[in-house]
Amino acid sequence: MIQYFCNDCNVPMETSECSICKKRTELSSTVYWCDKCNVPIYWDICLAVEKKGIMCLQI
Ligand SMILES: [Zn+2]
Ligand SMILES: [Zn+2]
């Protein structure tokens, strides 16, 4: 389960520290799903297709 998210790298993390930039990650409260790209997204709009994602997880 994805619990953290690095706002700088825009990647989900499993730890409270980003393994890429070593900064603190934030707890992701809501995860959306883009059915066009078939990827989880962390905004309600997928930036790739500019389409609203489906809310799929709320912690
Ligand atoms: Zn990072
Ligand atoms: Zn998308």
Side-chain angles (χ1 to χ4, degrees), residues 6-28:
C6 178
N7 286 323
D8 289 336
C9 306
N10 285 338
V11 289
M13 284 291 153
E14 289 178 359
T15 61
S16 59
E17 184 185 80
C18 176
S19 60
I20 301 166
C21 69
K22 304 294 179 192
K23 284 184 184 172
R24 251 187 101 77
T25 54
E26 290 187 6
L27 264 175
S28 68

Side-chain angles (χ1 to χ4, degrees), residues 10-58:
N10 285 338
V11 289
M13 284 291 153
E14 289 178 359
T15 61
S16 59
E17 184 185 80
C18 176
S19 60
I20 301 166
C21 69
K22 304 294 179 192
K23 284 184 184 172
R24 251 187 101 77
T25 54
E26 290 187 6
L27 264 175
S28 68
S29 54
T30 308
V31 176
Y32 296 83
W33 185 263
C34 177
D35 59 359
K36 289 273 180 205
C37 309
N38 279 325
V39 291
I41 51 178
Y42 301 91
W43 308 266
D44 59 345
I45 302 282
C46 173
L47 300 178
V49 296
E50 295 186 345
K51 193 174 173 293
K52 211 166 162 56
I54 303 158
M55 191 188 290
C56 63
L57 176 66
Q58 207 158 16

